[in-house]
Amino acid sequence: MAEVLRPEKISDFVGQKHLTGKEGIVRKLLSSAKKTGFFPSLIFWGPPGSGKTTLARIIAVELKRQYFEFSAVSSSIKEIEKLMSKGNMFPPVIVIDEIHRFNKAQQAKLLPFVERGDITLIGASTENPSFEIIAPLLSRTRVLLLHQLSENELSTIVKRGESYLKVKLNEKIRKFLLESSNGDARVALTVLEIAVNLSGTKRISLQSIEQALQKRQYTFDKRGEDYYNVISAYIKSLRASDVDAALYYLARMIEAGQDPLYIARRMVIFASEDIGMAQPTALVVANEVFRACDSIGYPECAINLAHGTVYLASAKKDRSAYEAYFRAVDDVRRHGNLPVPLKIRNPVTKLMKDIGYGEGYEKYSKESLLPEKLKGKKYYLRE
């Protein structure tokens, strides 16, 4: 059904108003192309089910061009090369879904065709093009960001599905479906279609939706940007002492199946980096959380992670030890291996003792023991 209901006109497209609205760049480019015949190659970057492929197809229809669609997961560059235009007045539109799955060499093979204008390339990616698309290809395309669909936008799409299937959801069930679909139109329509088949009637129950859904779409690609966004949000919430936000992002990671030891390792690092001398026992707690996760595993260790998260978020923060270390690192890199003062060298042999190793050493001296060039330098600045 998701395929059947794909809109074919830009006026029927739902969402992404910053691209498809009256002042949106896609509309402006299409309007310009009708006069000049030129339409640039694009990379659509956005979450699953946000309309990347649909918008690419609409562009091809509006341009009245030949349209070919490939998936980088299952297609080869050779298949695409066979279709490259040779002297056509207007280049075909080549849509490559999940273009980030092509390796650097495969992406590089697209360059001459894009550069000469033999094709209008529209790549679709759920991953950040800055990291996944080679720089020469990025420089020859325009990256357009698509946002996750809002509940209102998703509701419009779901109502089209209801009309197509000749069913009507009550508001409570529709809201549950919208929330559970995580902004993904394809998921929403697929779940609706399965629920209709499960129920066998025109009255769709909440139970049918739950059965069709099985589990909400929480998973993330462990190479993907969302993976880094969520762990970054978790650490920043701990740092800001926002207990509730930290617990929320922890739950996101746990529900997505993140390795508990990965989370626990980040907690151990955080305990020294951000709490440090303000509450030295934080390192003890974080290490114990790591040990508990290692010995217990999911699902029970989620409780240990929650315990540690609340403790770390609630603790006072002091980065002085962390910052002191990197000040020292900076001097090591800048000055190299400066000679260690003789008085604190260990006189292992008689010769060493004779030339001054250990001479004048006092156990509790307040004199700076740094190399001569750095005498009196302060790295650790207590807060």
Side-chain angles (χ1 to χ4, degrees), residues 31-49:
S31 177
S32 173
K34 288 174 183 176
K35 300 171 187 173
T36 65
F38 171 74
F39 193 90
S41 289
L42 305 172
I43 301 289
F44 287 153
W45 171 32

Side-chain angles (χ1 to χ4, degrees), residues 12 17 27 117 149 151 155 181 205 259-260 271 306 349:
D12 294 331
K17 290 299 181 186
R27 270 195 188 265
L149 295 174
E151 279 195 23
S155 180
S181 299
S205 66
D259 179 4
T349 68

Side-chain angles (χ1 to χ4, degrees), residues 293-323:
C293 289
D294 191 31
S295 60
I296 296 172
Y298 276 152
E300 290 84 355
C301 76
I303 302 167
N304 306 117
L305 289 168
H307 177 181
T309 294
V310 171
Y311 182 92
L312 296 179
S314 303
K316 293 179 180 178
K317 309 299 188 292
D318 179 358
R319 291 170 64 89
S320 57
Y322 169 84
E323 290 166 353

Side-chain angles (χ1 to χ4, degrees), residues 220-233:
F220 47 66
D221 183 346
K222 292 189 178 179
R223 290 181 62 255
E225 192 194 12
D226 198 43
Y227 171 84
Y228 297 104
N229 286 344
V230 175
I231 189 63
S232 174

Side-chain angles (χ1 to χ4, degrees), residues 8-9 20 29 74 92 97 111 113 116 132 136 147 177 188 198 207 209 236 255 273 293 299 355 366 377:
E8 296 181 353
K9 296 186 294 185
T20 62
L29 288 172
S74 57
D97 194 23
L111 285 173
F113 301 104
R116 290 196 304 263
E132 304 295 340
H147 304 303
L177 174 59
L198 285 173
Q207 184 182 14
I209 297 289
K236 287 179 172 67
E255 288 299 300
E273 181 177 339
C293 289
I355 61 176
K366 292 186 179 179
K377 190 79 179 277

Side-chain angles (χ1 to χ4, degrees), residues 20-206:
T20 62
K22 288 184 179 179
E23 296 301 313
I25 185 172
V26 170
R27 270 195 188 265
K28 288 183 176 180
L29 288 172
L30 286 170
S31 177
S32 173
K34 288 174 183 176
K35 300 171 187 173
T36 65
F38 171 74
F39 193 90
S41 289
L42 305 172
I43 301 289
F44 287 153
W45 171 32
S50 56
K52 299 183 294 296
T53 303
T54 299
L55 189 53
R57 290 182 181 180
I58 287 173
I59 288 171
V61 170
E62 295 275 351
L63 291 174
K64 297 186 169 108
R65 305 263 186 92
Q66 280 186 297
Y67 167 86
F68 302 98
E69 186 177 334
F70 300 91
S71 169
V73 175
S74 57
S75 302
S76 69
I77 286 291
K78 288 183 178 179
E79 292 177 70
I80 299 171
E81 286 177 321
K82 289 176 184 176
L83 297 171
M84 300 304 181
S85 175
K86 295 181 180 178
N88 287 353
M89 185 176 292
F90 297 114
V93 177
I94 305 291
V95 177
I96 304 178
D97 194 23
E98 301 205 61
I99 191 171
H100 59 276
R101 301 284 186 183
F102 276 152
N103 60 37
K104 291 181 179 180
Q106 290 172 311
Q107 291 181 32
K109 287 188 176 181
L110 295 169
L111 285 173
F113 301 104
V114 173
E115 196 164 37
R116 290 196 304 263
D118 290 343
I119 63 170
T120 294
L121 172 68
I122 301 181
S125 176
T126 55
E127 304 304 331
N128 190 332
S130 302
F131 306 124
E132 304 295 340
I133 307 298
I134 59 172
L137 189 55
L138 275 182
S139 70
R140 291 161 175 80
T141 58
R142 177 76 183 268
V143 176
L144 300 183
L145 178 63
L146 281 76
H147 304 303
Q148 186 180 71
L149 295 174
S150 69
E151 279 195 23
N152 283 339
E153 291 164 345
L154 203 55
S155 180
T156 300
I157 294 169
V158 168
K159 285 176 181 176
R160 289 180 183 177
E162 292 175 60
S163 177
Y164 175 78
L165 294 169
K166 297 182 172 52
V167 297
K168 187 167 179 63
L169 302 177
N170 68 40
E171 284 305 313
K172 181 181 177 182
I173 294 174
R174 185 183 296 113
K175 185 167 180 58
F176 175 77
L177 174 59
L178 298 177
E179 290 176 349
S180 301
S181 299
N182 202 30
D184 188 325
R186 193 182 299 107
V187 168
L189 291 174
T190 301
V191 168
L192 176 61
E193 188 172 23
I194 293 171
V196 169
N197 285 295
L198 285 173
S199 66
T201 71
K202 300 298 180 186
R203 297 184 63 184
I204 310 302
S205 66
L206 183 60

